[in-house]
Amino acid sequence: QVQLVESGGGVVQPGRSLRLSCAASGFIFSGYGMHWVRQAPGKGLEWVAVMSFDEKNKFYADSVKGRFTISRDNSKNTLYLQIDSLRPEDTAVYYCARVACLLCPLDYWGQGTLVTVSP
Amino acid sequence: DIQMTQSPSSLSASVGDRVSITCQASQDIANHLNWYQHKPGKAPELLIYDASNLKTGVPSRFSGGGSGTYFTFIISSLQPEDVATYYCQQFRDLYTFGRGTKVEIK
């Protein structure tokens, strides 16, 4: 069955960096695009970034452009999100999700990893 | 940027009631709209894609409709397990989620 497991979250000081991972199994990872979506405490879902299956296309939300970098290693079936210059407003649960194409629905999601930015 | 206005932000209804949620896009998005269910502590789940198509395995009491700028999501007979927050999401121009509708049982 399709499984997406996020990791790498934790408590981090403002200005530091963090790399989140999303380990995929149960499907051919190299054939799917992947998203990152986050949810701040008490708030709704916010789209963060997407990467195509072949790494040729990647897009970011304006709120994270320049500080967040999405990447993937198809040999390791893993998606990454590098977050630099962390801000308190980046505090959120970060989810990864799978898509069959960039104009396709997010059909499977992980359970998320919590990032807390605090002095 | 395309903005998605979802309403209501919350609702309370009785088991068996018909529940309706609307989502309005700031510009024409054709049928490029999906609906998700999110329960606390769980992974969000896709329910409806391309505005009106039910994902395989999703109960038929869930349905979606609309096109252009106005969309609806309906639960025809609310069940206790439907307590969750529901989100619309456009993918006409990048991706935007609505603010969510929290559904509770009265």
Side-chain angles (χ1 to χ4, degrees):
Chain A
Q1 71 280 22
V2 173
Q3 273 204 308
L4 297 168
V5 180
E6 302 90 340
S7 62
V11 180
V12 189
Q13 291 180 326
R16 305 293 288 262
S17 296
L18 199 64
R19 189 177 80 159
L20 307 182
S21 299
C22 168
S25 60
F27 66 102
I28 301 174
F29 180 71
S30 60
Y32 286 82
M34 296 294 296
H35 287 261
W36 286 101
V37 176
R38 68 183 178 181
Q39 183 177 34
K43 303 291 186 181
L45 299 175
E46 178 189 15
W47 175 73
V48 171
V50 65
M51 173 172 269
S52 59
F53 71 99
D54 58 2
E55 304 180 59
K56 287 183 179 177
N57 294 290
K58 52 177 119 173
F59 301 98
Y60 298 92
D62 286 344
S63 58
V64 307
K65 209 175 291 184
R67 293 192 303 119
F68 286 29
T69 304
I70 189 171
S71 62
R72 63 192 295 160
D73 186 337
N74 285 343
S75 70
K76 294 183 178 178
N77 291 340
T78 302
L79 175 75
Y80 302 102
L81 186 68
Q82 176 72 31
I83 309 175
D84 296 324
S85 303
L86 275 155
R87 303 169 179 170
E89 56 265 35
D90 295 323
T91 294
V93 175
Y94 286 75
Y95 299 96
C96 63
R98 182 189 89 161
V99 286
C101 65
L102 293 189
L103 292 181
C104 292
L106 288 67
D107 63 352
Y108 285 95
W109 299 58
Q111 299 233 356
T113 186
L114 175 62
V115 173
T116 302
V117 184
S118 178
Chain B
D1 292 9
I2 297 177
Q3 309 302 317
M4 303 303 294
T5 303
Q6 187 175 340
S7 62
S9 57
S10 66
L11 65 89
S12 181
S14 300
V15 172
D17 280 355
R18 177 184 170 94
V19 166
S20 179
I21 299 169
T22 64
C23 205
Q24 192 152 357
S26 59
Q27 61 190 75
D28 189 339
I29 61 170
N31 68 335
H32 294 162
L33 185 103
N34 304 315
W35 290 95
Y36 301 87
Q37 176 190 68
H38 191 199
K39 298 180 179 179
K42 299 286 189 85
E45 292 190 4
L46 173 69
L47 300 180
I48 304 282
Y49 64 95
D50 295 347
S52 60
N53 295 301
L54 194 67
K55 181 186 175 183
T56 301
V58 173
S60 59
R61 64 180 180 274
F62 296 101
S63 65
S67 67
T69 62
Y70 191 81
F71 302 86
T72 57
F73 172 81
I74 292 172
I75 307 174
S76 60
S77 177
L78 186 67
Q79 300 302 304
E81 59 267 32
D82 300 337
V83 170
T85 301
Y86 294 85
Y87 295 90
C88 61
Q89 174 240 332
Q90 69 82 21
F91 56 99
R92 175 66 180 84
D93 179 16
L94 291 183
Y95 315 89
T96 314
F97 287 91
R99 292 194 165 198
T101 298
K102 187 173 183 180
V103 174
E104 297 175 322
I105 300 288
K106 195 181 291 183

